[in-house]
């Protein structure tokens, strides 16, 4: 029994000695976070310290939420990078990068040596920077004094996300910071450069003007929407009250006229049925006349 156990131990030791040694190696990169503008080139570096005569196996993979896919395998590029990328020793140069190229890449290198198999890897993040597109602006054409008015400005293509600047009559609006020139200007609005909103809690006639918004993120040229005009008018309360009083007076006079005609007996010589029909007809005509007078009166409201 002891002799059998000793024989098994010897076989196990021989197996371990004969199994190829797999040891980790150090892979370096010049930049772990690469940023490149869209339609330009990006270089993903991957460096090693192996001897020139060693046999290397190089693979590049892209790590995505749905899994890991090969980018460079069996000495050729695959997928979207086919025809757009080339090897720089063990690194990669990607020409004409697009926003779809953004993501995390992994360089994997294996080498055979007298000591056994050696493995190493490096992870690099590529961020493709995209210039903003023309933003969409919403500016009301008219508003009444004292009301709340909100203007919006948004574009969704820029990477990193754009910031927004509003202009009135060609002059950049100040942010309401509570200090400095913005405080002295007695600003009645709130401008959010992150969201692109311009909010007037109580708009005044002084806010009448031509507005536009500009989007920028430091990549390429800034973009602006077309100029839109907002007209702010006062609410003429006294004029409205006078118009309402006038309409009420016209309706009272119409009612008195119908009552007076009935009292004078203009319909007395007619039969009761005809009298009723004529009375209704006269009443309807009188009401219609009053309605027309009221309508014409409202047309001239301030």
């Amino acid at each position: 029994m002891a002799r059998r156990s000793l024989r098994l131990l010897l076989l196990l030791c021989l197996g371990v000695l004969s199994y190829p040694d797999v040891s980790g190696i150090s892979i370096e990169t010049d930049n772990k976070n690469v940023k490149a503008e869209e339609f330009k080139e990006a270089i993903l570096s991957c460096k090693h310290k192996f001897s020139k005569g060693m046999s290397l196996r190089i693979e590049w993979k892209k790590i995505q939420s749905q899994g890991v896919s090969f980018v460079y395998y069996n000495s050729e590029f695959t997928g979207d990078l086919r025809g757009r990328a080339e090897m720089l020793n063990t690194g990669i140069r990607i020409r004409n990068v697009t926003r779809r190229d953004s993501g995390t890449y992994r360089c994997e290198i294996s080498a055979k040596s007298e000591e056994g198999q050696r493995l190493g890897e490096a992870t690099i993040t590529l961020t493709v920077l995209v210039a903003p597109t023309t933003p969409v602006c919403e500016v009301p054409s008219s508003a009444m004094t004292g009301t709340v008015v909100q203007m919006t400005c948004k574009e969704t293509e820029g990477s990193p996300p754009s910031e927004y600047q509003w202009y009135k009559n060609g002059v950049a609006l100040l942010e309401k910071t509570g200090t400095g020139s913005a405080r002295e200007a007695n600003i009645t609005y709130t401008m959010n450069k992150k969201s692109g909103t311009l909010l007037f809690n109580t708009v005044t006639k002084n806010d009448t003007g031509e507005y536009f918004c500009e989007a920028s993120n430091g990549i390429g040229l800034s973009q602006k929407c077309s100029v839109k005009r907002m007209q702010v008018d006062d609410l003429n309360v006294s004029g409205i009250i006078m118009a309402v009083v006038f309409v009420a007076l016209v309706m009272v006079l119409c009612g008195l006229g119908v009552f007076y005609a009935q009292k004078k007996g203009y319909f007395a010589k007619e039969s009761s049925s005809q009298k009723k029909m004529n009375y209704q007809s006269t009443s309807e005509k009188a009401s219609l006349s009053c309605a027309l007078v009221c309508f014409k009166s409202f047309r001239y409201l301030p």
Side-chain angles (χ1 to χ4, degrees):
M1 186 71 178
R3 184 176 297 177
R4 185 178 179 183
S5 299
L6 181 60
R7 185 178 300 174
L8 290 173
L9 182 61
L10 289 173
L11 289 174
L12 180 61
C13 292
L14 289 173
V16 171
L17 291 174
S18 61
Y19 190 80
D21 179 29
V22 177
S23 59
I25 57 176
S26 177
I27 302 295
E28 298 178 354
T29 179
D30 292 334
N31 189 356
K32 290 185 177 182
N33 296 287
V34 178
K35 295 182 178 181
E37 292 187 27
E38 192 173 29
F39 308 125
K40 295 186 178 181
E41 72 171 29
I43 297 178
L44 311 182
S45 70
C46 183
K47 298 180 178 180
H48 61 83
K49 297 181 180 179
F50 297 133
S51 301
K52 291 184 178 181
M54 298 180 66
S55 175
L56 301 179
R57 180 181 178 87
I58 305 169
E59 293 179 355
W60 278 86
K61 299 175 182 178
K62 187 175 183 180
I63 305 172
Q64 304 175 84
S65 57
Q66 62 268 31
V68 179
S69 60
F70 279 101
V71 171
Y72 181 80
Y73 176 73
N74 199 20
S75 301
E76 66 178 7
F77 287 95
T78 63
D80 293 339
L81 294 188
R82 188 189 300 271
R84 287 196 300 123
E86 62 179 339
M87 295 297 295
L88 294 178
N89 193 6
T90 53
I92 293 178
R93 174 190 281 134
I94 305 174
R95 299 183 300 272
N96 196 31
V97 295
T98 68
R99 63 198 71 187
R100 293 181 59 186
D101 295 326
S102 294
T104 302
Y105 294 80
R106 186 169 64 210
C107 168
E108 299 179 357
I109 300 178
S110 60
K112 293 181 180 180
S113 65
E114 294 180 355
E115 291 81 14
Q117 189 83 3
R118 314 187 85 182
L119 304 173
E121 64 181 38
T123 302
I124 303 167
T125 300
L126 171 62
T127 302
V128 178
L129 307 176
V130 183
T133 56
T134 302
V136 176
C137 299
E138 294 185 3
V139 178
S141 59
S142 62
M144 302 303 293
T145 56
T147 59
V148 177
V149 172
Q150 179 173 281
M151 303 180 187
T152 60
C153 177
K154 193 68 177 178
E155 73 86 26
T156 58
E157 298 295 324
S159 176
S162 293
E163 289 195 353
Y164 305 93
Q165 173 65 53
W166 277 96
Y167 293 79
K168 176 189 175 185
N169 298 331
V171 180
L173 295 177
L174 299 173
E175 282 191 280
K176 189 176 182 180
T177 58
T179 58
S181 58
R183 184 178 182 181
E184 295 172 2
N186 193 24
I187 290 178
T188 59
Y189 58 81
T190 302
M191 180 172 57
N192 190 324
K193 290 194 172 185
K194 297 292 185 181
S195 65
T197 58
L198 181 63
L199 177 65
F200 297 85
N201 287 321
T202 52
V203 72
T204 66
K205 293 189 71 174
N206 292 331
D207 296 319
T208 295
E210 297 181 339
Y211 292 83
F212 72 87
C213 171
E214 188 176 65
S216 60
N217 65 352
I219 309 301
L221 299 175
S222 58
Q223 300 292 327
K224 64 180 182 179
C225 62
S226 58
V227 177
K228 297 182 179 180
R229 180 175 178 80
M230 180 178 71
Q231 180 68 41
V232 181
D233 295 315
D234 287 330
L235 185 63
N236 194 342
V237 178
S238 60
I240 293 176
I241 293 175
M242 290 178 61
V244 171
V245 171
F246 176 74
V247 171
L249 182 60
V250 170
M251 294 183 70
V252 169
L253 291 175
C254 290
L256 290 174
V258 173
F259 175 75
Y260 180 78
Q262 182 185 13
K263 189 175 182 180
K264 287 294 184 179
Y266 291 143
F267 315 110
K269 296 180 181 180
E270 299 176 357
S271 63
S272 59
S273 60
Q274 290 177 337
K275 182 178 177 181
K276 184 177 181 181
M277 291 177 63
N278 289 334
Y279 174 75
Q280 291 177 347
S281 176
T282 304
S283 300
E284 290 174 358
K285 290 180 180 179
S287 300
L288 180 59
S289 299
C290 291
L292 288 173
V293 172
C294 295
F295 174 74
K296 291 180 179 179
S297 301
F298 273 113
R299 289 178 59 188
Y300 297 102
L301 285 177

